[in-house]
Amino acid sequence: MASKASEGFPRQHRILRPADYRAIYETGLKIHSKGFVLFVRNNDLDHDRLGITVSRKVGGAVVRNRIKRWFREIFRRHSADLPNHFDFVVNAKRGCGESTFSDLRAEFGSVVRRISR
């Protein structure tokens, strides 16, 4: 039986340390979108990393976890389109909880196209 390719979100592609978040917030490029704010900063690694913050203002635990799952999936699907060697931090805005997956995916794609230019 052939093994299925992993579609997970490995630890090396996550931003985990608070110091990394602070550095991205302080020195990164800040791009506003309708549903989220994206912070982007160059890193010295051979891959992109993603960090996600969703406050309680967005919604309850179910909504916040759904938004985080959606952004991880969007990041995974757009990994080929992303510029290499960058850290991305997504801060969900208050109205993000009412958005659909396809809306967020389209928004993220348009923001990434702006970065790529």
Side-chain angles (χ1 to χ4, degrees), residues 36 38 74-75 78 82 90 104-112:
F36 58 90
L38 182 67
I74 291 167
F75 181 79
H78 279 87
L82 297 173
V90 176
L104 290 177
R105 186 176 58 200
E107 250 182 272
F108 190 83
S110 69
V111 170
V112 166

Side-chain angles (χ1 to χ4, degrees), residues 71-112:
F71 275 116
R72 283 192 295 267
E73 180 66 13
I74 291 167
F75 181 79
R76 195 180 63 76
R77 287 187 182 182
H78 279 87
S79 63
D81 304 332
L82 297 173
N84 288 330
H85 314 296
F86 280 93
D87 288 336
F88 298 90
V89 174
V90 176
N91 287 356
K93 289 184 179 178
R94 191 178 295 254
C96 190
E98 287 83 42
S99 299
T100 64
F101 178 76
S102 58
D103 291 341
L104 290 177
R105 186 176 58 200
E107 250 182 272
F108 190 83
S110 69
V111 170
V112 166

Side-chain angles (χ1 to χ4, degrees), residues 22-72:
R22 257 191 311 279
I24 294 165
Y25 290 145
E26 291 171 2
T27 62
L29 176 66
K30 183 178 183 180
I31 302 170
H32 290 272
S33 173
K34 180 184 174 210
F36 58 90
V37 178
L38 182 67
F39 293 85
V40 182
R41 179 176 176 243
N42 198 358
N43 69 27
D44 296 329
L45 305 172
D46 62 344
H47 56 276
D48 295 324
R49 296 188 308 170
L50 175 68
I52 306 166
T53 61
V54 184
S55 76
R56 280 185 258 160
K57 294 177 183 177
V58 173
V62 173
V63 173
R64 293 194 312 269
N65 288 327
R66 181 185 319 125
I67 296 298
K68 289 186 270 189
R69 280 194 312 270
W70 284 354
F71 275 116
R72 283 192 295 267

